[in-house]
Amino acid sequence: MQQADEAQKHEMLAVALDKVRFSWPGALHDTLDIPHFSMSQAERVFVSGPSGCGKSTLLGLIAGILTPTCGQVLVQGTALESLGSAGRDRFRGEHIGFIFQQFNLVPYLSVVENVLIPCRFSALRRKRAEKQGSDLGEVAAMLLQRLDLEKSLWRKPVRTLSIGQQQRVACARALIGQPELIIADEPTSALDTDRRVAFLHLLLEECTSQGTALLFVSHDELLAEAFPRTVRMQDINLVKGEES
């Protein structure tokens, strides 16, 4: 009965880490030692910490890009370490939207084509998106409009856009198809203060409207004021020192 209760509790969480440790191959010491970390469905969490404290490694584990040396990483109740490499890639494509620090957009594709990339690789994301509009292009357009990207830019190659505009395209790409979790890795680092705050509010509004959990990582603790919950890496990671 207790095991069933634990399983049900984990299913109610967007993310749950239990006794997770991670070390890079050949490293003498662990990079991460996290006894426990969790976030609930649709929760918005700000994770802070200086460079080298393990933030990017934590995101890699939650996204299934990395696997723990020991312990369990659950996302939407699924133990990622139990999946093979292909299974983790498929799970990530279906359930996680990722906003990278460098955006990772395809430069020769148009804005709309970049936004629709997740729907090309995930049947589930495509199916969810198709329920939101008459066609996928309309759904992409709705997201871009809500993120305040001018319509005149939608058909242009993404490489012609400014950094701030590219950031909104990356945000729309992460949100399309209503993934249950958005992971944002220092997505505002290239922006000035005013643009940083404006983008953050747009992202929070979209996550709220879609009921999407948001894990936002940044060294800029001024942004934490916009989040209901803040987690410091130094408080959850027992390893002290620089990331390997």
Side-chain angles (χ1 to χ4, degrees), residues 50-104:
S51 298
C53 69
K55 299 191 301 294
S56 294
T57 303
L58 173 64
L59 296 189
L61 289 169
I62 294 173
I65 298 169
L66 304 172
T67 55
T69 305
C70 62
Q72 191 173 58
V73 178
L74 293 110
V75 177
Q76 296 297 126
T78 297
L80 300 187
E81 66 278 359
S82 70
L83 305 176
S85 178
R88 292 195 303 276
D89 288 345
R90 183 167 55 253
F91 183 90
R92 186 186 316 115
E94 291 180 344
H95 301 285
I96 301 174
F98 214 119
I99 307 176
F100 299 89
Q101 184 172 355
Q102 302 301 325
F103 309 143
N104 287 15

Side-chain angles (χ1 to χ4, degrees), residues 13-139:
L13 297 171
V15 175
L17 275 64
D18 185 37
K19 299 177 182 176
V20 167
R21 299 178 71 173
F22 178 85
S23 60
W24 294 100
L28 297 177
H29 305 287
D30 287 336
T31 295
L32 291 181
D33 181 356
I34 300 178
H36 179 74
F37 170 75
S38 66
M39 56 186 293
S40 60
Q41 302 285 357
E43 187 176 13
R44 294 163 295 172
V45 178
F46 181 89
V47 178
S48 67
S51 298
C53 69
K55 299 191 301 294
S56 294
T57 303
L58 173 64
L59 296 189
L61 289 169
I62 294 173
I65 298 169
L66 304 172
T67 55
T69 305
C70 62
Q72 191 173 58
V73 178
L74 293 110
V75 177
Q76 296 297 126
T78 297
L80 300 187
E81 66 278 359
S82 70
L83 305 176
S85 178
R88 292 195 303 276
D89 288 345
R90 183 167 55 253
F91 183 90
R92 186 186 316 115
E94 291 180 344
H95 301 285
I96 301 174
F98 214 119
I99 307 176
F100 299 89
Q101 184 172 355
Q102 302 301 325
F103 309 143
N104 287 15
L105 300 172
V106 182
Y108 56 84
L109 294 181
S110 72
V111 166
V112 169
E113 288 169 334
N114 267 280
V115 173
L116 293 177
I117 284 175
C119 296
R120 293 174 55 187
F121 293 99
S122 168
L124 178 60
R125 295 272 289 273
R126 182 184 183 94
K127 185 177 180 180
R128 287 175 177 171
E130 287 173 338
K131 291 181 179 180
Q132 296 179 284
S134 59
D135 59 60
L136 292 175
E138 180 185 341
V139 177

Side-chain angles (χ1 to χ4, degrees), residues 216-235:
F216 189 102
V217 171
S218 177
H219 67 276
D220 185 356
E221 299 198 17
L222 292 176
L223 299 177
E225 297 176 2
F227 288 79
R229 178 184 169 201
T230 298
V231 174
R232 298 170 70 247
M233 280 298 298
Q234 302 95 309
D235 294 335

